[in-house]
Coordinates of all heavy atoms in Angstrom, one line a residue:
M861 N -19.4 -0.6 0.0 CA -18.5 -0.4 -1.2 C -17.4 0.6 -0.8 O -16.3 0.5 -1.3 CB -19.4 0.2 -2.3 CG -18.6 0.3 -3.6 SD -18.0 -1.2 -4.2 CE -18.9 -1.4 -5.7
Q862 N -17.7 1.6 0.0 CA -16.7 2.6 0.4 C -15.5 1.9 1.2 O -14.4 2.2 1.0 CB -17.3 3.6 1.3 CG -16.3 4.7 1.7 CD -16.9 5.8 2.6 OE1 -18.1 5.8 2.8 NE2 -16.1 6.7 3.1
L863 N -15.9 0.9 2.0 CA -14.8 0.2 2.8 C -13.9 -0.5 1.8 O -12.6 -0.5 2.0 CB -15.4 -0.8 3.8 CG -14.4 -1.5 4.6 CD1 -13.6 -0.6 5.5 CD2 -15.2 -2.5 5.6
L864 N -14.5 -1.2 0.8 CA -13.7 -1.8 -0.2 C -12.7 -0.9 -0.9 O -11.5 -1.2 -1.1 CB -14.6 -2.5 -1.2 CG -13.9 -3.3 -2.4 CD1 -13.1 -4.5 -1.8 CD2 -14.9 -3.7 -3.4
V865 N -13.2 0.3 -1.3 CA -12.4 1.2 -2.0 C -11.3 1.8 -1.1 O -10.1 1.9 -1.5 CB -13.3 2.4 -2.5 CG1 -12.4 3.6 -3.0 CG2 -14.2 2.0 -3.6
E866 N -11.5 2.0 0.2 CA -10.5 2.4 1.1 C -9.5 1.4 1.4 O -8.4 1.8 1.9 CB -11.2 2.9 2.4 CG -12.0 4.1 2.3 CD -12.7 4.5 3.6 OE1 -12.5 3.8 4.6 OE2 -13.4 5.5 3.6
C867 N -9.7 0.2 1.0 CA -8.7 -0.9 1.2 C -7.7 -0.9 0.0 O -6.7 -1.7 0.1 CB -9.3 -2.2 1.5 SG -10.1 -2.3 3.0
L868 N -8.0 -0.3 -1.0 CA -7.2 -0.3 -2.2 C -5.9 0.6 -2.0 O -6.0 1.6 -1.4 CB -7.9 0.2 -3.5 CG -9.1 -0.7 -3.9 CD1 -9.9 0.0 -5.0 CD2 -8.7 -2.0 -4.3
P869 N -4.8 0.1 -2.5 CA -3.5 0.9 -2.3 C -3.6 2.3 -3.0 O -3.0 3.2 -2.6 CB -2.5 0.0 -3.0 CG -3.0 -1.4 -2.9 CD -4.5 -1.2 -3.0
L870 N -4.3 2.3 -4.1 CA -4.4 3.6 -4.8 C -5.1 4.7 -4.0 O -4.6 5.8 -3.9 CB -5.2 3.4 -6.2 CG -5.4 4.7 -6.9 CD1 -4.1 5.3 -7.4 CD2 -6.3 4.4 -8.2
Y871 N -6.2 4.3 -3.3 CA -6.8 5.2 -2.3 C -5.9 5.7 -1.3 O -5.8 6.9 -1.0 CB -8.0 4.5 -1.7 CG -8.8 5.4 -0.8 CD1 -9.7 6.3 -1.2 CD2 -8.5 5.4 0.6 CE1 -10.4 7.1 -0.3 CE2 -9.2 6.2 1.5 CZ -10.1 7.1 1.0 OH -10.8 7.9 1.9
Q872 N -5.1 4.8 -0.7 CA -4.1 5.2 0.3 C -3.0 6.2 -0.2 O -2.6 7.1 0.5 CB -3.5 4.0 1.0 CG -4.5 3.0 1.6 CD -5.4 3.6 2.6 OE1 -4.9 4.5 3.4 NE2 -6.6 3.2 2.8
G873 N -2.6 5.9 -1.4 CA -1.6 6.8 -2.0 C -2.2 8.2 -2.3 O -1.5 9.2 -2.1
I874 N -3.5 8.2 -2.7 CA -4.1 9.5 -2.9 C -4.3 10.3 -1.6 O -4.1 11.5 -1.6 CB -5.5 9.3 -3.6 CG1 -5.2 8.9 -5.0 CG2 -6.3 10.6 -3.6 CD1 -6.5 8.4 -5.7
E875 N -4.5 9.5 -0.5 CA -4.7 10.2 0.8 C -3.3 10.8 1.2 O -3.3 11.9 1.8 CB -5.1 9.2 1.9 CG -6.6 8.9 1.8 CD -7.4 10.1 2.1 OE1 -7.2 10.8 3.1 OE2 -8.3 10.4 1.2
L876 N -2.2 10.2 0.9 CA -0.9 10.7 1.2 C -0.6 12.0 0.5 O 0.2 12.8 0.9 CB 0.2 9.7 0.9 CG 0.4 8.5 2.0 CD1 1.4 7.5 1.5 CD2 0.8 9.1 3.3
I877 N -1.2 12.1 -0.7 CA -1.0 13.3 -1.5 C -2.0 14.4 -1.1 O -1.7 15.6 -0.9 CB -1.0 13.0 -3.0 CG1 0.1 12.1 -3.4 CG2 -1.0 14.3 -3.8 CD1 0.0 11.6 -4.7
R878 N -3.2 14.0 -1.0 CA -4.3 15.0 -0.7 C -4.2 15.7 0.6 O -4.4 16.9 0.7 CB -5.7 14.2 -0.8 CG -6.9 15.2 -0.6 CD -8.2 14.5 -0.5 NE -8.1 13.1 -0.8 CZ -9.2 12.4 -1.2 NH1 -10.4 13.0 -1.3 NH2 -9.1 11.0 -1.4
Q879 N -4.0 15.0 1.7 CA -3.9 15.6 3.0 C -2.9 16.7 3.1 O -3.2 17.8 3.6 CB -3.8 14.6 4.1 CG -5.0 13.7 4.3 CD -4.9 12.7 5.4 OE1 -4.0 12.8 6.2 NE2 -5.8 11.8 5.5
P880 N -1.6 16.5 2.8 CA -0.7 17.6 2.8 C -1.0 18.7 1.8 O -0.7 19.9 2.1 CB 0.7 17.0 2.4 CG 0.5 15.5 2.7 CD -0.9 15.2 2.5
A881 N -1.6 18.4 0.7 CA -2.0 19.4 -0.3 C -3.1 20.4 0.3 O -3.1 21.5 0.0 CB -2.5 18.8 -1.6
L882 N -3.9 19.8 1.2 CA -4.9 20.6 1.9 C -4.4 21.3 3.2 O -5.2 21.9 3.9 CB -6.1 19.7 2.2 CG -6.9 19.2 1.0 CD1 -8.0 18.2 1.4 CD2 -7.5 20.3 0.2
G883 N -3.1 21.0 3.5 CA -2.5 21.6 4.7 C -2.8 20.8 5.9 O -2.6 21.3 7.0
E884 N -3.1 19.6 5.8 CA -3.4 18.7 6.9 C -2.2 17.8 7.2 O -2.0 16.8 6.5 CB -4.7 17.9 6.7 CG -5.9 18.7 6.5 CD -7.1 17.8 6.1 OE1 -7.0 16.6 6.2 OE2 -8.1 18.4 5.7
F885 N -1.4 18.1 8.2 CA -0.3 17.3 8.6 C -0.5 16.8 9.9 O -1.1 17.4 10.8 CB 1.0 18.1 8.6 CG 1.4 18.7 7.2 CD1 1.1 20.0 6.9 CD2 2.1 17.9 6.3 CE1 1.3 20.6 5.7 CE2 2.4 18.5 5.1 CZ 2.1 19.8 4.8
G886 N -0.1 15.5 10.2 CA -0.3 14.9 11.5 C -0.2 13.5 11.4 O 0.2 12.8 10.4
V887 N -0.6 12.9 12.5 CA -0.5 11.4 12.7 C -1.5 10.7 11.8 O -1.4 9.4 11.6 CB -0.8 11.0 14.1 CG1 0.4 11.5 15.0 CG2 -2.1 11.4 14.6
E888 N -2.4 11.3 11.2 CA -3.4 10.7 10.2 C -2.7 10.2 9.0 O -3.1 9.3 8.3 CB -4.4 11.7 9.8 CG -5.2 12.4 10.9 CD -4.6 13.7 11.3 OE1 -4.0 14.3 10.5 OE2 -4.8 14.0 12.5
L889 N -1.5 10.7 8.7 CA -0.7 10.2 7.6 C 0.0 8.9 7.8 O 0.5 8.3 6.9 CB 0.3 11.3 7.1 CG -0.3 12.6 6.6 CD1 0.8 13.6 6.3 CD2 -1.1 12.3 5.3
L890 N 0.1 8.5 9.1 CA 0.8 7.3 9.4 C 0.1 6.1 9.0 O 0.7 5.1 8.5 CB 1.1 7.2 10.9 CG 2.1 8.2 11.5 CD1 2.2 8.1 13.0 CD2 3.4 8.1 10.8
L891 N -1.3 6.1 9.0 CA -2.1 4.9 8.6 C -1.9 4.7 7.1 O -1.6 3.5 6.8 CB -3.5 5.1 9.0 CG -4.4 4.0 8.7 CD1 -4.0 2.7 9.5 CD2 -5.9 4.3 9.0
P892 N -2.1 5.6 6.2 CA -1.9 5.3 4.8 C -0.5 4.9 4.5 O -0.2 4.0 3.7 CB -2.3 6.6 4.0 CG -3.1 7.4 5.0 CD -2.7 7.0 6.4
A893 N 0.5 5.6 5.1 CA 1.9 5.3 4.9 C 2.2 3.8 5.3 O 2.9 3.1 4.6 CB 2.8 6.3 5.6
G894 N 1.8 3.5 6.5 CA 2.0 2.1 7.0 C 1.3 1.1 6.2 O 1.9 0.0 5.9
Y895 N 0.1 1.4 5.7 CA -0.6 0.4 4.9 C 0.1 0.2 3.6 O 0.3 -1.0 3.1 CB -2.0 1.0 4.6 CG -2.9 0.0 3.7 CD1 -3.5 -1.0 4.3 CD2 -3.0 0.3 2.3 CE1 -4.3 -1.8 3.5 CE2 -3.7 -0.6 1.5 CZ -4.4 -1.6 2.1 OH -5.1 -2.4 1.3
L896 N 0.6 1.2 3.0 CA 1.3 1.1 1.7 C 2.6 0.4 1.9 O 3.1 -0.4 1.0 CB 1.6 2.5 1.0 CG 0.4 3.1 0.5 CD1 0.7 4.5 0.0 CD2 -0.2 2.3 -0.7
L897 N 3.3 0.6 3.0 CA 4.6 -0.1 3.3 C 4.3 -1.6 3.5 O 5.0 -2.5 3.0 CB 5.2 0.4 4.5 CG 6.0 1.7 4.4 CD1 6.5 2.2 5.7 CD2 7.1 1.5 3.5
A898 N 3.2 -1.9 4.2 CA 2.8 -3.3 4.4 C 2.5 -4.0 3.1 O 2.9 -5.2 2.9 CB 1.7 -3.4 5.5
V899 N 1.7 -3.4 2.3 CA 1.3 -4.0 1.0 C 2.5 -4.1 0.1 O 2.6 -5.2 -0.6 CB 0.1 -3.1 0.4 CG1 -0.1 -3.6 -1.1 CG2 -1.1 -3.2 1.1
G900 N 3.4 -3.1 0.1 CA 4.6 -3.2 -0.7 C 5.5 -4.3 -0.3 O 6.1 -5.0 -1.1
D901 N 5.6 -4.5 1.1 CA 6.5 -5.6 1.6 C 5.9 -6.9 1.2 O 6.7 -7.8 0.8 CB 6.6 -5.5 3.1 CG 7.5 -4.3 3.5 OD1 8.3 -3.9 2.7 OD2 7.5 -4.0 4.7
L902 N 4.6 -7.1 1.3 CA 4.0 -8.3 0.9 C 4.1 -8.6 -0.5 O 4.5 -9.7 -0.9 CB 2.5 -8.3 1.3 CG 1.7 -9.5 0.9 CD1 2.2 -10.7 1.7 CD2 0.2 -9.3 1.2
A903 N 4.0 -7.6 -1.4 CA 4.1 -7.8 -2.8 C 5.6 -8.1 -3.2 O 5.8 -9.1 -4.0 CB 3.7 -6.6 -3.6
L904 N 6.5 -7.5 -2.6 CA 7.9 -7.8 -2.8 C 8.3 -9.2 -2.3 O 9.0 -9.9 -3.0 CB 8.8 -6.7 -2.1 CG 10.2 -6.7 -2.4 CD1 10.4 -6.4 -3.9 CD2 10.9 -5.6 -1.6
M905 N 7.8 -9.6 -1.2 CA 8.0 -10.9 -0.7 C 7.5 -12.0 -1.7 O 8.2 -13.0 -2.0 CB 7.4 -11.1 0.7 CG 7.9 -12.3 1.5 SD 7.3 -12.3 3.2 CE 5.5 -12.2 3.0
L906 N 6.3 -11.8 -2.2 CA 5.7 -12.7 -3.1 C 6.5 -12.8 -4.4 O 6.6 -13.8 -5.1 CB 4.2 -12.4 -3.4 CG 3.3 -12.6 -2.2 CD1 1.9 -12.0 -2.5 CD2 3.2 -14.1 -1.8
A907 N 6.9 -11.6 -4.9 CA 7.7 -11.5 -6.1 C 9.0 -12.3 -6.0 O 9.4 -13.0 -6.9 CB 7.9 -10.1 -6.5
F908 N 9.7 -12.1 -4.8 CA 10.9 -12.8 -4.7 C 10.7 -14.3 -4.6 O 11.5 -15.1 -5.1 CB 11.6 -12.4 -3.4 CG 12.4 -11.0 -3.5 CD1 12.4 -10.2 -2.5 CD2 13.1 -10.8 -4.7 CE1 13.1 -9.0 -2.6 CE2 13.8 -9.6 -4.8 CZ 13.8 -8.7 -3.8
R909 N 9.7 -14.7 -3.9 CA 9.4 -16.2 -3.8 C 9.1 -16.7 -5.2 O 9.6 -17.8 -5.5 CB 8.2 -16.4 -2.9 CG 7.9 -17.9 -2.7 CD 6.7 -18.1 -1.7 NE 7.1 -17.4 -0.4 CZ 6.1 -17.2 0.5 NH1 4.9 -17.4 0.2 NH2 6.4 -16.6 1.6
R910 N 8.3 -16.0 -6.0 CA 8.0 -16.5 -7.3 C 9.3 -16.5 -8.2 O 9.4 -17.5 -9.0 CB 7.0 -15.7 -8.0 CG 6.4 -16.2 -9.3 CD 5.2 -15.4 -9.7 NE 4.8 -15.9 -11.0 CZ 3.7 -15.5 -11.7 NH1 3.0 -14.5 -11.1 NH2 3.4 -16.0 -12.8
L911 N 10.1 -15.5 -8.1 CA 11.3 -15.5 -8.9 C 12.2 -16.6 -8.5 O 12.8 -17.2 -9.4 CB 12.0 -14.1 -8.7 CG 13.3 -13.9 -9.4 CD1 13.1 -13.9 -10.9 CD2 14.0 -12.6 -9.0
D912 N 12.3 -16.9 -7.2 CA 13.2 -18.0 -6.8 C 12.7 -19.3 -7.4 O 13.5 -20.1 -7.8 CB 13.1 -18.0 -5.2 CG 14.1 -19.0 -4.7 OD1 15.3 -19.1 -5.1 OD2 13.7 -19.8 -3.8
R913 N 11.4 -19.5 -7.3 CA 10.8 -20.8 -7.9 C 11.1 -20.9 -9.4 O 11.4 -21.9 -9.9 CB 9.3 -20.9 -7.6 CG 9.0 -21.4 -6.3 CD 7.5 -21.8 -6.2 NE 7.0 -21.2 -5.0 CZ 5.8 -20.7 -4.9 NH1 5.0 -20.6 -5.9 NH2 5.4 -20.1 -3.7
T914 N 11.0 -19.8 -10.1 CA 11.2 -19.8 -11.5 C 12.7 -20.1 -11.8 O 13.0 -20.8 -12.8 CB 10.8 -18.4 -12.1 OG1 9.5 -18.1 -11.8 CG2 11.0 -18.4 -13.6
L915 N 13.6 -19.5 -11.1 CA 15.0 -19.7 -11.3 C 15.4 -21.1 -11.0 O 16.4 -21.6 -11.5 CB 15.9 -18.7 -10.6 CG 15.7 -17.2 -11.1 CD1 16.5 -16.4 -10.2 CD2 16.1 -17.2 -12.5
R916 N 14.8 -21.8 -10.1 CA 15.2 -23.2 -9.7 C 14.7 -24.2 -10.7 O 15.2 -25.3 -10.7 CB 14.5 -23.5 -8.3 CG 15.2 -22.8 -7.2 CD 14.7 -23.2 -5.9 NE 15.3 -22.5 -4.8 CZ 15.2 -22.7 -3.5 NH1 14.5 -23.8 -3.2 NH2 15.8 -22.0 -2.7
S917 N 13.7 -23.9 -11.5 CA 13.2 -24.9 -12.4 C 13.8 -24.8 -13.8 O 14.7 -24.1 -14.1 CB 11.7 -24.7 -12.6 OG 11.3 -23.4 -12.9

């Protein structure tokens, strides 16, 4: 169950806020940031594709 929760974008966003708030800066922040960028890009790509299909019909 923990692995499933860690795959959610909300968890990754919380990690990006929690670690600096605790004074932990470093390369550990790259994983949550990269994950959120990848998920955001995928969601944006899907939204554009769906919008394109909607406008064509």
